[in-house]
Amino acid sequence: MKKLSLSLVSIICLASVANAQRNFDSVEYKRTDLGHGIYMLEGSGGNIGLSVGEDGVFLIDDQFAQLTEKLLAAIKEVSDQPVRFVINTHWHGDHVGGNENLANQGAIIMAHDNVRSRMAAPGRRQSPEKALPIMTFSDTNTYHLNGHKIHAFHVHSAHTDGDSIIHFEDVNIIHAGDIMFNQIYPFIDLDSGGSVDGYIAALERLLAISDDETRIIAGHGPMASRSDVKASLKMIQSSKAKVAKLVKQGKTLDEVQAADPLSELHDKWSWAFINGERFTATLYRDLTE
């Protein structure tokens, strides 16, 4: 097995450069109607939640800046109302990239406190002022829009330190953001305050507020159900235990990678961004730092 030559933060930075240079011309939005004026939109990047109605358009995440016009065209197919509100589930560029464009058209951007802090931090990935959330919260927030009671709540140190889960309580629909990578290995961003135990706790929280009829918009992957959350949780807990056993034996990262403790999971869970080697490295780093 190859040695892990790039840290996950390096991979993220390279991915950001690649996204800035990529051609989005071929991207087309796929819309899934969940009823009650709520839709899941799949384009390029994190899956989007969309609520339409008499109060206007409410978006959960907005993908990349280069896709804003296509996103607005997709929204026009179900509503002629303007985008009034956007809530970001966390700070990564494939979820907040359209903020500035939408804010320039009058949308109010909202998120957890740590999303604004990370987007505003000086450095190569600092966001323009206009892209920053102007309404933030520390724990929970509730919105009454388009006939729905929408509860946004923070989950601590999970995918990042600023994750929010968005729950349409009255219609049993949840947007989980990147707390849910459905049917694939998750990216747990340790450099943005994420943690494996926090991620596990967030999935357990997701189970606590869902039932067998709940429809869950995953941050990445297809529409999810409660059984999908259970499968992800079981996989992560099992993976952590396998790597922890080797860590307890004093194994180095190279030795753990050579042992390939997650080998039986790779075919089912690996994908282009997070394969078994990278997920193993995340688990090892979380357990040893």
Side-chain angles (χ1 to χ4, degrees):
M1 179 177 292
K2 293 181 181 178
K3 292 183 179 180
L4 191 67
S5 58
L6 291 173
S7 70
L8 286 174
V9 69
S10 298
I11 295 164
I12 283 287
C13 290
L14 290 174
S16 297
V17 172
N19 284 328
Q21 297 173 341
R22 68 188 290 185
N23 187 339
F24 288 92
D25 290 348
S26 63
V27 175
E28 295 183 4
Y29 276 96
K30 174 186 174 183
R31 185 177 72 248
T32 301
D33 189 348
L34 304 181
H36 315 285
I38 301 171
Y39 302 84
M40 171 181 170
L41 298 179
E42 300 170 77
S44 179
N47 294 326
I48 293 172
L50 167 66
S51 168
V52 300
E54 62 182 14
D55 296 319
V57 172
F58 172 71
L59 276 182
I60 306 170
D61 292 335
D62 50 32
Q63 296 193 342
F64 297 105
Q66 299 94 324
L67 289 172
T68 300
E69 291 305 315
K70 288 190 174 187
L71 173 58
L72 290 174
I75 293 170
K76 283 291 185 185
E77 294 179 3
V78 294
S79 175
D80 59 3
Q81 296 289 317
V83 177
R84 291 189 61 200
F85 303 99
V86 178
I87 187 166
N88 299 140
T89 59
H90 62 288
W91 80 288
H92 288 153
D94 62 318
H95 295 258
V96 306
N99 280 12
E100 182 178 19
N101 293 336
L102 294 172
N104 284 334
Q105 297 190 25
I108 294 173
I109 312 297
M110 307 175 292
H112 182 263
D113 295 336
N114 291 342
V115 173
R116 180 180 172 94
S117 296
R118 289 200 175 273
M119 291 178 68
R124 188 159 62 88
R125 300 178 68 193
Q126 183 179 18
S127 298
E129 180 70 24
K130 198 72 173 180
L132 302 179
I134 63 170
M135 295 179 64
T136 64
F137 59 94
S138 61
D139 188 22
T140 66
N141 219 349
T142 302
Y143 313 101
H144 301 270
L145 293 168
N146 296 330
H148 301 297
K149 181 181 180 181
I150 307 165
H151 184 213
F153 61 91
H154 176 51
V155 285
H156 299 271
S157 300
H159 171 63
T160 68
D161 60 7
D163 300 295
S164 295
I165 291 173
I166 317 300
H167 188 192
F168 291 78
E169 295 181 344
D170 57 311
V171 291
N172 204 13
I173 294 171
I174 297 171
H175 193 304
D178 281 5
I179 296 306
M180 187 64 190
F181 283 72
N182 192 21
Q183 302 174 15
I184 51 179
Y185 284 129
F187 171 45
I188 301 174
D189 189 354
L190 304 181
D191 294 299
S192 292
S195 70
V196 175
D197 284 345
Y199 202 95
I200 288 171
L203 286 174
E204 291 173 337
R205 182 88 180 270
L206 200 53
L207 285 176
I209 64 169
S210 63
D211 58 34
D212 290 341
E213 303 301 318
T214 307
R215 287 167 294 173
I216 301 169
I217 300 174
H220 296 269
M223 181 71 65
S225 66
R226 195 168 192 268
S227 63
D228 291 316
V229 179
K230 288 181 178 179
S232 291
L233 178 60
K234 181 179 178 181
M235 181 275 294
I236 296 169
Q237 290 173 323
S238 173
S239 297
K240 179 189 173 185
K242 290 175 181 179
V243 175
K245 182 178 179 180
L246 296 174
V247 168
K248 189 174 181 179
Q249 295 171 8
K251 303 290 188 183
T252 66
L253 174 58
D254 285 346
E255 289 171 334
V256 172
Q257 295 285 22
D260 197 10
L262 310 186
S263 58
E264 64 185 25
L265 302 173
H266 298 337
D267 287 347
K268 179 177 180 180
W269 297 93
S270 288
W271 58 297
F273 184 46
I274 304 294
N275 58 18
E277 184 180 13
R278 289 175 184 163
F279 190 52
T280 298
T282 296
L283 294 168
Y284 183 92
R285 180 179 165 193
D286 182 86
L287 286 162
T288 57
E289 290 184 358

